[in-house]
């Protein structure tokens, strides 16, 4: 139990640290950040439940006012911004990513890349685009076009998540909780 709590807190901190990477603002009001890489890693390394819990801890601290989102944003006001769908999608994406890695018994590298792609790119962007459409009063196709620039970076992050997960599996297999 203590080990689980430590891992959950460590990965919540990882997401926060990835928010320190300078964001790139786009016209949609949703920045390009490295935090989605942290969301993917929560799922690929911690698994579905622990990964989602790490993201929920991060979000609880953020909504309580800590400036943990990229650009130093935090507080309840972020729920009234175009990023709301992505914020809601964070724990869902980590959960789906973790489920795929756990249940798909392919070698860890392809399993982690595909899981990060499906959970961290497809699921996260589906929820994020819906939130962006609602907050910006756009149609889903219009919001999808606004989100298109994220897809290249998210694809790169999915590959990085797979490579990091594989490195953890090789160096410390007991630390890869998603396969347990």
């Amino acid at each position: 139990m203590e080990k689980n709590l430590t891992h959950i807190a460590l990965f919540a901190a990882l997401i926060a640290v990835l928010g320190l990477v300078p964001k790139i603002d786009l016209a949609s009001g949703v920045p390009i950040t490295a935090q989605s890489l942290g969301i993917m890693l929560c799922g690929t390394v911690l698994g579905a439940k622990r990964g989602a819990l790490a993201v929920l801890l991060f979000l609880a601290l953020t909504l309580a006012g800590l400036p943990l989102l990229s650009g130093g944003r935090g507080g309840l006001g972020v729920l009234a911004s175009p990023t709301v769908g992505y914020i809601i999608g964070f724990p869902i994406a980590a959960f789906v990513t973790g489920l795929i890695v756990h249940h798909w018994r392919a070698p860890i590298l392809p399993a982690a890349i595909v899981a990060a792609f499906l959970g961290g790119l497809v699921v996260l962007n589906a929820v994020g685009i819906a939130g962006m459409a609602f907050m910006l009063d756009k149609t889903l196709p219009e919001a999808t076009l606004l989100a298109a620039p994220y897809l290249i970076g998210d694809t790169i992050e999915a590959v990085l998540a797979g490579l990091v997960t594989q490195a953890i599996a090789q160096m410390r297999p007991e630390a890869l909780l998603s396969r347990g």
Side-chain angles (χ1 to χ4, degrees):
M1 179 67 156
E2 184 179 315
K3 183 178 178 180
N4 285 336
L5 293 175
T6 302
H7 283 100
I8 289 167
L10 179 66
F11 276 77
L14 172 66
I15 300 167
V17 167
L18 289 170
L20 297 175
V21 175
K23 66 179 179 151
I24 300 169
D25 288 312
L26 297 178
S28 65
V30 177
I32 293 176
T33 76
Q35 287 182 305
S36 53
L37 173 60
I39 303 304
M40 294 174 193
L41 287 169
C42 283
T44 62
V45 176
L46 296 182
K49 292 177 188 170
R50 286 179 291 260
L53 287 172
V55 176
L56 289 170
L57 173 60
F58 167 79
L59 290 178
L61 295 170
T62 301
L63 295 175
L66 293 177
L68 301 178
L69 289 173
S70 67
R73 297 172 302 127
L76 293 175
V78 299
L79 297 177
S81 75
T83 62
V84 67
Y86 291 94
I87 292 167
I88 292 168
F90 279 176
I92 299 166
F95 187 84
V96 169
T97 300
L99 270 181
I100 294 168
V101 171
H102 179 75
H103 289 292
W104 188 27
R105 291 299 167 188
I108 192 62
L109 180 62
I113 291 173
V114 170
F117 183 83
L118 292 174
L121 190 145
V122 175
V123 170
L124 182 58
N125 278 293
V127 179
I129 288 168
M132 190 178 1
F134 177 77
M135 295 305 292
L136 297 176
D137 196 28
K138 302 278 186 194
T139 65
L140 284 174
E142 290 171 333
T144 302
L145 283 176
L146 288 173
Y150 307 117
L151 301 180
I152 294 169
D154 288 347
T155 301
I156 293 167
E157 288 177 347
V159 172
L160 285 173
L163 291 170
V164 169
T165 303
Q166 180 187 37
I168 291 170
Q170 289 174 341
M171 294 182 340
R172 296 200 55 214
E174 73 282 356
L176 191 65
L177 304 177
S178 60
R179 286 276 169 113

